[in-house]
Structure formats: structure tokens, C-alpha cells
Amino acid sequence: LFRSVVGDFVDAAHSSTMLTQMEKYAKTYPVDFIVATGNSAPVDEHSHFTAASNYSSLDLPWHSVLGSKECTKDRLNDVLELSKSKAKWQAKQPHYARNMRVSVDGKAETTETALIKLVFANTCSLACADLTAPRPQDLQQECSQMQGVLSTRQRKEQLTWLASQLEYSLRSKNSRKNRGWAFVFGHHPVHTLQTGADGDMAFSNLLTKTNTDAYFYGQDQNLHHILPAEARETSSPSAVSSSSSHVEYFLNGGNGYSLHWAQKDKSESAVKYSAVADSFLVVSASAEFFQVEYIGLDGTLLYTFSKTRSEPVEPSSSWFSATL
């Protein structure tokens, strides 16, 4: 079993309360590392990353993805250089991956393991490098600040790299009787309940065609767990546990700037959970199941979801080159 805390840790105003609850959780259920889904670089003493060092149970590696404010020309190199001076900061490249092995029977001495693939995407390049893509006004303003840093070539190269990582994970799962999982982390949504356009469709298609199990992201200032339209035929929106092979989308943006309610009527999506609250998210995974928990600032369990898979997942064919 591995366990990670995930959040879009932006606003220092909630830092103490949030970290206190994370500390309580980590003392009861040991955590392997923390994932920050954007705009969390420790640029000053008020950041969550810096403050976490004062909590013994949270003195852990931090895997971070680039947020909108970190993809600008003035910030990008500084963020990536942080790993040289801060040993716990794991983000050394704009996008990267980590392979974890968990024992199939839960015993440390076992030799049979399953792969849990963790992919950390640079969604700045996916969301902003294609200048012809429609965008909501607020994202258009963010993207304008990234010009000169991002390029269409970088976007294509990252999509190719993402495909290779996720296809390897899919082959590993199939070769081990469908054990293990593939999780992707990014800053920008692919499917959103907010006003404006959804995210990069080539990225969305990639996640679907490689049977990625879950995408975790931030940016929007609320919480939700949704299924895109294509998943509605195979899973009931009211089901809390599922064994089907579609992608689960988890937003945890409720610990950054001012909270706001989801504004867009996404009737074409199956909304399993939606709330306006400050929260951190916990992902736990073994060889054959994973669980996601949203935990509030007062320690309350706001929502939980678990998933197991009993049937083999077959890869889709002849899909990727056409998206480029």
C-alpha cells in the first residue's frame, strides 16, 4: 500500500489549519509523499512547503506540477532549480514520472509486485501552447503571460512522452493480471464544472485511450469528482464504487484562493461529488484497489471513493498519431 496527500496548496492564510489536519492524518496513516498540483513553489517563508517542515509527520518529499504562475518566463527556471537547494522538492523537470511497486499480497517479503505509475504533467504547455484553441477569458490572460516559454513543439513532445509512459503502464497492468494503477497529476482541468472551455482534448483523449485510472488537478477553487460524457454509458453517476475502466477526474482546488461555486451546467458529465470547501485529498493504493478521500479543515471526511478492477483492460489501437 502507498499513500499520498494531494492539494493545490496556494493560500498561506489556511496554511496552519490545513497542515495541522494533515499532520493528524499522517500520524495515524503514514504518508509516503505530498503532491502539490500547482502554484506551490516555496518562494517565501509562508508557503505550505516551507511551513510543512515544522511538522514532523509532514517532513516528506514533495512532488509538484507547474501551476499557471510558475510557467512564466520570470518564474520557470527558479522553480525547477529549487531541488538543488531543497532536498525534499522533487520537481526537477517540467514533467516527469515515478514508478512505485507494491506487493500483490500486502507482505513486504513477497517477490510479486504491481506497478503504480505516477505521471506529473506540465499542463501549462498543454493548456496554452496551442494558440488556436478556444479558452475562457481568465485562462487566456494566464496563457498570455507564458508566451516565449511555451511552444507547439513542446506540447507535441510532451504528449508523445505522456503516451509512452502511460502505454508502458497499461502493458504492465495487463501482463500482471491487471494489477496496478496509472495516476496523472496536473494543474489545469481537462473536464471542468467552471465557466469556459474544457481542457486540451488531445490530452483528454490520451488519458482515455491509455485507460489511465485517475487524473488529479487544481486551478478551479472548489471540489469535484466527475466522469466525462463518454463514461456515462458504463457507470452510474450515483455509484460510489466502480470496477469499469474509464478515467476518474478529481479536482481539489479548495485550499487556494477564494472559493467559488461551480458555474457551468455540465449536464453532459456525471457529477459524483461537488462542494465548496477547503480540503486536502488523500490517495491510497494497493495492487488491486485505490481510494480517494477529501478531508476538510476540521478533519471531517467530506467524501470518499474507492475503485477495484476485476476485468482485464485492453489498450485501444491506432489513436495517438492522429491527435498531433
Side-chain angles (χ1 to χ4, degrees):
L1 180 73
F2 97 95
R3 187 175 287 110
S4 176
V5 171
V6 182
D8 190 350
F9 304 113
V10 179
D11 190 359
H14 295 144
S15 176
S16 177
T17 305
M18 180 74 69
L19 291 170
T20 296
Q21 292 301 334
M22 289 167 57
E23 166 90 333
K24 289 180 179 178
Y25 187 96
K27 284 183 175 179
T28 305
Y29 307 100
V31 173
D32 293 287
F33 55 86
I34 296 171
V35 177
T37 53
N39 295 326
S40 304
V43 294
D44 56 45
E45 67 276 11
H46 301 297
S47 72
H48 279 71
F49 172 83
T50 303
S53 62
N54 298 319
Y55 298 78
S56 58
S57 297
L58 301 179
D59 189 20
L60 301 165
W62 279 58
H63 288 276
S64 179
V65 298
L66 293 169
S68 304
K69 293 176 175 57
E70 296 164 338
C71 289
T72 62
K73 189 174 182 179
D74 295 335
R75 291 284 304 277
L76 181 59
N77 288 336
D78 290 341
V79 171
L80 298 178
E81 289 289 311
L82 284 169
S83 61
K84 294 181 179 179
S85 60
K86 300 181 182 296
K88 299 293 184 181
W89 191 257
Q90 303 296 302
K92 301 177 183 179
Q93 300 292 332
H95 54 266
Y96 59 102
R98 178 178 177 182
N99 294 333
M100 298 192 69
R101 292 285 179 183
V102 292
S103 63
V104 169
D105 57 10
K107 298 178 181 179
E109 63 274 12
T110 187
T111 58
E112 185 177 1
T113 62
L115 172 69
I116 297 180
K117 187 76 173 184
L118 308 174
V119 178
F120 304 91
N122 174 15
T123 58
C124 293
S125 92
L126 300 178
C128 293
D130 183 358
L131 300 179
T132 64
R135 303 186 186 96
Q137 183 176 0
D138 56 347
L139 181 56
Q140 183 66 40
Q141 293 173 347
E142 290 182 357
C143 290
S144 66
Q145 300 175 21
M146 302 178 202
Q147 297 310 309
V149 177
L150 305 176
S151 69
T152 303
R153 178 183 58 80
Q154 289 174 329
R155 174 179 174 271
K156 290 182 178 180
E157 288 176 350
Q158 186 185 180
L159 285 170
T160 301
W161 176 84
L162 286 166
S164 68
Q165 295 293 320
L166 294 171
E167 287 176 341
Y168 171 80
S169 173
L170 181 58
R171 290 194 301 271
S172 177
K173 286 189 290 186
N174 286 338
S175 67
R176 295 172 182 273
K177 300 180 181 178
N178 204 42
R179 292 175 170 135
W181 305 94
F183 302 141
V184 178
F185 302 86
H187 178 63
H188 296 88
V190 172
H191 298 282
T192 176
L193 300 181
Q194 295 303 124
T195 301
D198 282 346
D200 186 285
M201 292 313 298
F203 183 37
S204 174
N205 291 338
L206 186 155
L207 296 176
T208 301
K209 297 300 184 180
T210 56
N211 291 304
T212 297
D213 297 294
Y215 177 53
F216 301 91
Y217 50 99
Q219 191 184 45
D220 290 348
Q221 275 69 64
N222 53 65
L223 316 174
H224 67 232
H225 172 203
I226 63 176
L227 304 179
E230 60 267 22
R232 298 192 69 181
E233 297 179 359
T234 59
S235 178
S236 168
S238 60
V240 177
S241 182
S242 174
S243 60
S244 54
S245 61
H246 55 259
V247 186
E248 308 285 343
Y249 291 90
F250 295 97
L251 165 69
N252 187 33
N255 42 36
Y257 298 114
S258 298
L259 297 169
H260 50 75
W261 187 253
Q263 302 169 4
K264 188 175 181 181
D265 178 16
K266 295 287 288 190
S267 57
E268 70 271 25
S269 294
V271 182
K272 288 192 170 187
Y273 174 68
S274 180
V276 178
D278 289 299
S279 166
F280 65 92
L281 185 153
V282 178
V283 182
S284 307
S286 68
E288 297 177 347
F289 86 93
F290 80 86
Q291 178 175 278
V292 175
E293 301 168 284
Y294 285 88
I295 299 175
L297 287 181
D298 60 356
T300 301
L301 179 62
L302 303 176
Y303 173 72
T304 185
F305 169 85
S306 61
K307 186 171 186 176
T308 59
R309 191 158 54 252
S310 57
E311 297 297 328
V313 177
E314 295 300 328
S316 301
S317 60
S318 184
W319 59 273
F320 183 70
S321 59
T323 69
L324 300 180

